[in-house]
Amino acid sequence: MNIDIELTNIDSIVGNKNINTAAMVTTLSHLDSAILGISWPGNKWIDVPCGDGTTARVLKNPDEAFELYGKEWNTKFKVVIDLLNQAKGSADVEVGNKIVKLFDNLNYVEATLREMYKNSYLTFAATPCKEESQKEKRIMDRIITAASLLLAGLKVMIDSQGVKDLDALNNQILKIIDKITSMIIN
């Protein structure tokens, strides 16, 4: 896709005087720019009226929010799972069982992030014109970005060491959980 087309599309969206700029910036932040060219304004989105006469654009189905906004996490998660699947296929039973525990821990993290993002997006979608709900979505966007970077660290660890040291991999997953928890609490 041509970058000029994307920028023109974004400019026409944000430059529209009927659009609530703060809500639109929140909607567009952390959204893959390719989405704009494919499905914007598309049937995935609805306009929500704001109290000041402007509108905000949100997803019709909040269940799709994590797939669209958590794209980096989803990509890295699939890569790590594939690496662990490859290792499990060539491992003995004991190591295979430990790898299954790693899967369980990673799936728990993924499910938690997915649910938290959905809840955050539901708040934003219900009241996209309110600064508090915009802030909540931006916080979750940052948490997903940070979690993606932490997951990239796990991938690098697997790439460089394989799954020889499953305790170290499990400790890395525990660190990811701890850091995500810290981000959520703060």
Side-chain angles (χ1 to χ4, degrees), residues 6-7 31 35 49 54 60 66 75 77 95 101 117 122 125 134 139 152 161 165 167-168 171-172 183:
E6 291 174 10
L7 292 175
L31 186 63
I35 298 298
T54 61
K60 284 181 185 177
F66 191 76
T75 301
F77 183 77
V95 171
K101 288 180 184 180
Y117 198 89
L122 281 169
Q134 295 166 11
I139 288 169
Q161 300 173 5
D165 191 351
D167 290 333
N171 286 336
Q172 185 67 21
M183 288 183 283

Side-chain angles (χ1 to χ4, degrees), residues 3-16 19 24-25 28-29 31-34 36-37 40:
I3 190 74
D4 294 332
I5 294 171
E6 291 174 10
L7 292 175
T8 302
N9 198 8
I10 291 171
D11 185 51
S12 68
I13 294 165
V14 176
N16 185 336
I19 298 291
M24 189 56 66
V25 168
L28 293 174
S29 72
L31 186 63
D32 185 351
S33 62
L36 296 176
W40 191 280

Side-chain angles (χ1 to χ4, degrees), residues 12-177:
S12 68
I13 294 165
V14 176
N16 185 336
K17 291 183 184 196
N18 296 325
I19 298 291
N20 183 293
T21 307
M24 189 56 66
V25 168
T26 304
T27 294
L28 293 174
S29 72
H30 293 275
L31 186 63
D32 185 351
S33 62
I35 298 298
L36 296 176
I38 295 169
S39 63
W40 191 280
N43 61 2
K44 289 184 177 227
W45 305 91
I46 59 171
D47 288 338
V48 177
C50 299
D52 63 359
T54 61
T55 59
R57 190 162 288 163
V58 298
L59 286 168
K60 284 181 185 177
N61 183 357
D63 288 328
E64 295 178 4
F66 191 76
E67 297 304 320
L68 292 174
Y69 290 99
K71 199 168 196 163
E72 284 298 315
W73 167 268
N74 291 323
T75 301
K76 288 173 180 57
F77 183 77
K78 288 174 186 169
V79 168
V80 168
I81 293 298
D82 287 346
L83 289 171
L84 290 174
N85 270 328
Q86 291 170 10
K88 183 181 171 214
S90 62
D92 62 33
V93 175
E94 183 180 340
V95 171
N97 288 337
K98 288 182 178 183
I99 292 173
V100 168
K101 288 180 184 180
L102 290 174
F103 280 132
D104 291 344
N105 289 337
L106 278 173
N107 283 327
Y108 173 75
V109 172
E110 199 268 344
T112 301
L113 285 173
R114 181 178 293 279
E115 193 61 29
M116 286 176 51
Y117 198 89
K118 179 182 173 185
N119 290 335
S120 172
Y121 196 83
L122 281 169
T123 299
F124 171 68
T127 55
C129 306
K130 290 191 174 185
E131 187 176 337
E132 299 85 27
S133 61
Q134 295 166 11
K135 181 180 177 183
E136 186 172 331
K137 181 191 175 293
R138 287 191 307 264
I139 288 169
M140 274 309 302
D141 286 337
R142 286 191 298 271
I143 289 171
I144 296 299
T145 300
S148 299
L149 292 171
L150 294 168
L151 196 57
L154 181 64
K155 180 197 174 300
V156 168
M157 189 176 187
I158 294 170
D159 283 343
S160 66
Q161 300 173 5
V163 292
K164 296 174 194 164
D165 191 351
L166 290 171
D167 290 333
L169 290 175
N170 198 43
N171 286 336
Q172 185 67 21
I173 292 171
L174 291 174
K175 286 179 185 177
I176 291 171
I177 293 169

